[in-house]
Amino acid sequence: MSRPVRPLTSSAKDAAGAAAVLKDAFAADPIMRALLPGDVYENHADTLYRKHAGLAAAAGASYVLEDEAGDVKCVALWELPEAPGVVRVLPRLLGVFAWCVWTLGVRTTVRLLKFQQFMESENEKHAGIGAYKLTDIGTAKDFRGRGAGNAIMAPMLARADAERKPCFLGSSNPRNLTFYKRLGFEVVAEAYPLKDWPDLEGDGPVMTFMYRAVPPSDDASDDPGAARPASGAEGRD
């Protein structure tokens, strides 16, 4: 049994619960392991996800699902089509940057920034600036197979449809593509974000980008989400 899906808040409890779920969900993710190699992931991923959850909560576009005891079991972090007010997120953003440099070091921080820049570029290329972007989603091991993924995605997809906004995501786990396709996402590109990085062999892990158009309205010519931007028409990098 679970409680209804609700918005992620800025409380310490929500941040800790979301971080625990995401750290476990991405423990074997090849891109995260490359960005945070060796013991760095085990030692610092929890704090990094706490800070990321705090930023997402401040933006007001993320959700959690709890069990009957009130423990977070599933989380989905989204970015808004329009950036939230600078005053709302700038202090947190600066805090995350300072923590990364101080704790993870300059080299790892630069890697994280380069990866973030890559993701933003792909988002703009294939979805434009008007899409909701799913940045992270995870479910606790003991809660998988219960429909938590569908439940945690439903509020934002409904919001996007009501606002006539498309959605966009990048997945580093090929096993998740079928799940996203059932929700209306289509594959639009594949890319290798870590290709040619120092001390990494080959192209590195693949990232699959997916786009979800809003259902067409009666007048499709007035529907900005009915089709992808022309800049992403070729699909594969």
Side-chain angles (χ1 to χ4, degrees), residues 60-77:
S62 298
Y63 297 89
V64 294
L65 183 145
E66 302 165 305
D67 61 13
E68 285 297 318
D71 296 323
V72 174
K73 293 295 183 178
C74 189
V75 57
L77 306 183

Side-chain angles (χ1 to χ4, degrees), residues 18-219:
V21 169
L22 291 174
K23 179 182 179 181
D24 180 67
F26 285 88
D29 182 82
I31 289 181
M32 287 305 300
R33 283 298 185 175
L35 293 172
L36 303 176
D39 293 335
V40 178
Y41 188 89
E42 292 301 329
N43 294 336
H44 301 297
D46 182 76
T47 301
L48 186 62
Y49 282 124
R50 285 180 187 235
K51 293 181 178 297
H52 184 32
L55 284 169
S62 298
Y63 297 89
V64 294
L65 183 145
E66 302 165 305
D67 61 13
E68 285 297 318
D71 296 323
V72 174
K73 293 295 183 178
C74 189
V75 57
L77 306 183
W78 293 80
E79 288 185 5
L80 296 167
E82 298 82 19
V86 173
V87 174
R88 289 174 56 190
V89 300
L90 184 58
R92 287 180 178 271
L93 189 60
L94 292 175
V96 172
F97 179 76
W99 176 84
C100 286
V101 173
W102 182 262
T103 306
L104 304 179
V106 173
R107 185 177 183 182
T108 297
T109 301
V110 170
R111 282 190 170 190
L112 291 170
L113 290 174
K114 286 177 63 178
F115 177 71
Q116 181 64 27
Q117 184 180 31
F118 170 84
M119 295 297 289
E120 292 294 339
S121 175
E122 293 298 310
N123 177 51
E124 185 174 347
K125 183 192 305 182
H126 300 294
I129 61 174
Y132 282 102
K133 184 172 68 174
L134 178 67
T135 62
D136 296 283
I137 181 172
T139 304
K141 288 181 180 178
D142 63 348
F143 228 69
R144 293 170 189 170
R146 304 187 187 184
N150 287 314
I152 202 73
M153 291 287 284
M156 185 54 73
L157 297 183
R159 175 176 172 177
D161 287 350
E163 296 176 5
R164 316 304 296 167
K165 298 285 189 182
C167 297
F168 183 75
L169 63 85
S171 176
S172 55
N173 187 346
R175 291 178 298 178
N176 291 339
L177 301 186
T178 299
F179 165 71
Y180 294 127
K181 288 178 180 179
R182 289 200 302 264
L183 297 176
F185 287 87
E186 297 180 355
V187 174
V188 294
E190 290 181 353
Y192 296 86
L194 308 185
K195 184 178 181 180
D196 298 327
W197 279 34
D199 67 24
L200 293 178
E201 297 181 359
D203 292 338
V206 64
M207 178 74 75
T208 302
F209 295 97
M210 306 185 75
Y211 181 88
R212 181 182 184 271
V214 299
S217 62
D218 293 336
D219 185 357

